[in-house]
Amino acid sequence: MEKGLKPMDAEQLRENAHKMVDFIADYYKNIESFPVLSQVEPGYLNKILPDSAPTHPESLQNVLDDIQEKILPGVTHWQSPDYFAYFPSNSSTAGFLGEMLSAGINIVGFSWVTSPAATELEVIVLDWFGKMLKLPEDFLSQGKGGGVIQGTASEAVLVVLLAARDKVLRRVGKNSLEKLVVYASDQTHSSLQKGCRIAGIYPENCRLLETDSSTNFALSPDVLSEAISKDIAAGLVPIFLCATVGTTSSTAADPLPALGKIAKGNEMWFHIDAAYAGSACVCPEYRHYIDGVEEADSFNMNAHKWFLTNFDCSLLWVKDRNDLIQSLSTNPEYLKNKASEGNMVVDYKDWQIPLGRRFRSLKLWMVLRLYGLENLQNYIRNHIELAKHFEHLVAVDKRFEIIVPRTFSLVCFRLCPQHDDQDRCNKLNRDLLEAVNATGKIFISHTVLSGKYILRFVVGTPLTEEKHVNAAWKVLQDEATTLFGRF
Ligand code: PLP
């Protein structure tokens, strides 16, 4: 061993990175041989790894052997074609290459000057994407708006909530925090509640308005209006409405045009969370789900969910970037520079919570360039067709029922024994979920809607084909038969 560490030797990088790429390519070749949901017990790794870090270097091969034997058994394979749980979190060759390049050059692009290309590419790619979604021009960078890549939808909703809070506090006085009210449906992702906690919104002022099957679990404009009127009458100040297109439980789409009008009429910030379903809206036939985005102040979707861009890459557009900047900018001496002082550039540190940020636009740029819009649209369409196919399979088996009409690539369904009570039915479905996931052959997840325990089947991984959907249905049917036998 040569004396002295050489942590970045170009030739060593070349050799080892080739080995790592081979390892990953083999992983993808064999991905169907693993149980989709990891079957290890809690604490399994502690038992098989040493209890302190090595003093001397080990070979890459030793580490790769440990990954194969010790780490992969504890991995749940999100990229498996037999993964149908939660929402997808896509990887792709293009996304991976972009991620690799970003890790390779490893800049920290908080201000324009720290890597001009990182900021400028992000502005351009977000404008491209905004145009693909046919967002109103106000959201693009030429005017007062613009896009930014956040880590997650949770960070996106938090930063716009902070901007909305501060905008209102500037108007009504900074001692009014306790009066500020935030509205959303009870189907809204829990990240909004977390955001409210962080933003100091009083918990009793978070209105998660009830939905039910009469609106397919979308927020009713009448229910919203009534809640706002009540709050105003009580001396409270409505500040923020979060609507969702593609709710987490059942992909409900809130009626944006009507909700947006109410929000605007009450001088509230209107945010749209399209974390999962936003990807579908690049297809002209699904774009109507975001009609009404003209009324919004901010719009968010996760390219890292269903758009072939490796985690993390959450796209946020705002109509007025100054709202974000007024809440989030800091200007310490040690970061001052000519370009920023001259107001000539975007400094993304002022649009987000952390200071440091990765060169994430590279991977989205690679995805857009290496695949092209037409292929990306067909990718989404194919998943929706496969979900329709699954829906049909469920519908013809009389032991099952579809719970809400399918909108995108999620099917919500459950076993429904005739003349049975809700508790027993819920237990039966919980048992079915456990049995199915314990096979390791597929992984699905669940939710509860109006007291009903429901199984969620989402088509959305890049490797999923019709044969995987058919095989998954067979697993579900077989496990249902076994359970019914015992029921
Ligand atoms: N919003 C919706 C509708 C979601 O489905 C999810 C996660 O699945 C989120 C927000 C949170 O996403 P993130 O993990 O990017 O914060």
Side-chain angles (χ1 to χ4, degrees), residues 87 152-154 189 191 244 246 248 273 275 302 304-305:
F87 280 139
T152 59
S154 307
H189 192 267
S191 51
T244 307
T248 313
D273 172 359
N302 281 351
H304 65 239
K305 274 189 160 59

Side-chain angles (χ1 to χ4, degrees), residues 268-286:
M268 297 159 68
W269 186 291
F270 182 34
H271 176 66
I272 298 172
D273 172 359
Y276 153 78
S279 295
C281 299
V282 302
C283 301
E285 66 273 33
Y286 298 108

